[in-house]
Amino acid sequence: MTILGIETTCDETALAIISDDRIVDEVTISQILKHAPYGGVVPDLGAREHLNNLTKFGGEFLTRNNVKLDAIAVASKIGLPPAVQVGEAYANGLANALKVPLIPINHVIAHTWGVFVDPVFTEKPQFPFLALIVSGGHTQILKLTSPIEHEILGTTIDDAIGEAFDKVAHMLGLPYPGGPAVEKAAEKGARLSKPFPIPLKGEDTMNFSFSGLKTAVRVYIEKNMPKEEQYKPYFVADACAEFQRSAFAQINERVAKAIEQTGIQTLVVGGGVAANQSLINALATLYLEKGWDTEKLFVPNIKYCTDNAAVIASYALAVTKEKSKQKFKNRNFIRSS
Ligand code: KG4
Ligand code: ZN
């Protein structure tokens, strides 16, 4: 089965073709430079860029890959509404013209498919597994029993972790997107004498919260930002390192709870913040401390952490296969005597 995936939920316009679990071709056009002057994603500007990109590169991509498509999958519902709608309209038009089914895909769950699509992983995670989705719009721990059955064990009660990274970066005068800028600055950071609080620490929950941490960073900046320019980079580095330490301590606490409660050690990490090496180091340290099997911790290549179309197409393929497997299982076999 050959599926075209389309992703336009935020600031990446992406197309990918998957054929029988193999990436045939993929293209991702980043809009970062267009949004950077505004310090964040401007939804209407994003929608216009998606339209331009799809018109310009979509046709080129399809001509270059002259293959028969069996379905069109599109990242749907979750994302910035004007941006999502452009992808949906384009995918719908294409599906109608080619007379193939249109498969709307929940892009948050699709983030789990980064490791499935990443050719580096020859051994794929086995069901049931846990998924940690850490993106600009979501922070969730899920339990997946199949590609079409999942349970949300925990979710953020306020800001998403990526959003917190972006806001902290903005407060510290770092460029958009904030995540990579905070990670880079944190590399040179030292410990603060008074660490930022770890939100929901010790509470009996699998939910997340980042707004209190964001406020703690804001108050710290207001009280302590040095006046002298030459000291500012040190101040920023320390604040970034401490912010990451607190945010990742919270993630580790929730992950530990989820693994201990479910008895499932297989954890798949996805979403833009999974690109952060300190987060992955923190998770690996947790696995080592707890004596868990680090082979069961799956983190895709950075390219498959952030928004991309290969995960959309690959997840659509997995959903289609699972649905037909279940339909076959539930079929009544009638024999004529
Ligand atoms: O999954 P994604 O590409 O888009 C959404 O679905 O939101 O995630 C984007 C988010 C942004 O908030 C960005 O700042 C964050 O991922 N991000 C990072 C890193 N790279 C991207 N956060 C922390 N460290 C990074 N290296
Ligand atoms: Zn995403």
Side-chain angles (χ1 to χ4, degrees):
M1 197 174 179
T2 303
I3 299 186
L4 168 72
I6 298 170
E7 153 68 49
T8 64
T9 57
C10 192
D11 57 353
E12 270 107 9
T13 316
L15 297 125
I17 294 175
I18 294 273
S19 188
D20 299 326
D21 288 324
R22 194 181 54 82
I23 300 171
V24 175
D25 197 5
E26 58 184 323
V27 62
T28 303
I29 304 129
S30 169
Q31 302 178 2
I32 284 178
L33 293 177
K34 303 273 175 184
H35 296 283
Y38 304 96
V41 182
V42 183
D44 288 340
L45 171 64
R48 204 170 56 231
E49 284 300 311
H50 285 311
L51 189 59
N52 287 343
N53 290 339
L54 286 172
T55 315
K56 191 163 169 213
F57 301 106
E60 225 172 67
F61 182 79
L62 292 171
T63 314
R64 179 166 89 210
N65 293 286
N66 191 13
V67 285
K68 185 185 163 302
L69 296 171
D70 298 305
I72 314 284
V74 62
S76 189
K77 294 191 191 93
I78 297 170
L80 301 172
V84 175
Q85 280 155 15
V86 173
E88 283 176 335
Y90 184 81
N92 196 19
L94 214 52
N96 276 334
L98 298 175
K99 297 192 174 40
V100 294
L102 177 69
I103 311 175
I105 289 295
N106 173 330
H107 121 261
V108 178
I109 311 291
H111 269 307
T112 312
W113 250 249
V115 287
F116 287 91
V117 91
D118 190 338
V120 163
F121 291 89
T122 44
E123 298 277 323
K124 303 294 179 189
Q126 299 294 311
F127 291 100
F129 61 77
L130 300 177
L132 172 69
I133 306 300
V134 278
S135 71
H138 292 82
T139 319
Q140 291 189 335
I141 297 191
L142 310 153
K143 178 181 162 188
L144 281 90
T145 34
S146 85
I148 56 172
E149 288 151 303
H150 72 265
E151 186 190 340
I152 299 176
L153 303 180
T155 191
T156 182
I157 56 171
D158 41 56
D159 294 351
I161 184 166
E163 192 183 347
F165 262 95
D166 293 335
K167 286 180 178 163
V168 163
H170 189 69
M171 288 190 268
L172 288 166
L174 295 172
Y176 163 85
V182 168
E183 179 175 20
K184 191 158 191 316
E187 282 167 13
K188 297 202 176 80
R191 293 235 57 170
L192 295 182
S193 54
K194 209 166 158 256
F196 297 140
I198 300 169
L200 305 177
K201 187 173 165 42
E203 288 192 25
D204 187 19
T205 177
M206 273 194 252
N207 286 335
F208 301 88
S209 164
F210 293 96
S211 84
L213 174 58
K214 199 183 61 190
T215 307
V217 179
R218 186 191 307 281
V219 171
Y220 178 75
I221 296 171
E222 281 165 7
K223 282 193 181 156
N224 301 290
M225 180 63 103
K227 302 252 172 327
E228 304 83 351
E229 278 308 314
Q230 75 264 35
Y231 296 127
K232 283 189 180 165
Y234 301 100
F235 175 86
V236 169
D238 294 352
C240 288
E242 203 63 57
F243 163 75
Q244 287 201 151
R245 213 172 280 120
S246 167
F248 299 158
Q250 181 185 186
I251 299 271
N252 268 5
E253 199 181 319
R254 300 300 174 277
V255 165
K257 199 180 224 10
I259 294 179
E260 278 157 2
Q261 272 189 16
T262 60
I264 300 169
Q265 283 183 22
T266 307
L267 179 74
V268 173
V269 191
V273 184
N276 189 298
Q277 195 52 43
S278 301
L279 169 63
I280 306 312
N281 293 348
L283 285 167
T285 306
L286 173 73
Y287 266 64
L288 291 171
E289 279 169 6
K290 295 276 186 183
W292 295 333
D293 184 358
T294 47
E295 296 278 308
K296 292 189 171 168
L297 175 61
F298 290 88
V299 187
N301 209 304
I302 290 180
K303 158 175 185 194
Y304 299 115
C305 290
T306 47
D307 290 339
N308 67 92
V311 295
I312 302 298
S314 172
Y315 180 55
L317 182 60
V319 166
T320 308
K321 277 189 192 165
E322 183 66 23
K323 282 190 176 161
S324 66
K325 203 167 98 188
Q326 296 212 353
K327 210 160 126 193
F328 184 76
K329 230 169 51 190
N330 297 333
R331 215 173 90 194
N332 288 321
F333 290 94
I334 303 167
R335 289 175 195 273
S336 54
S337 54

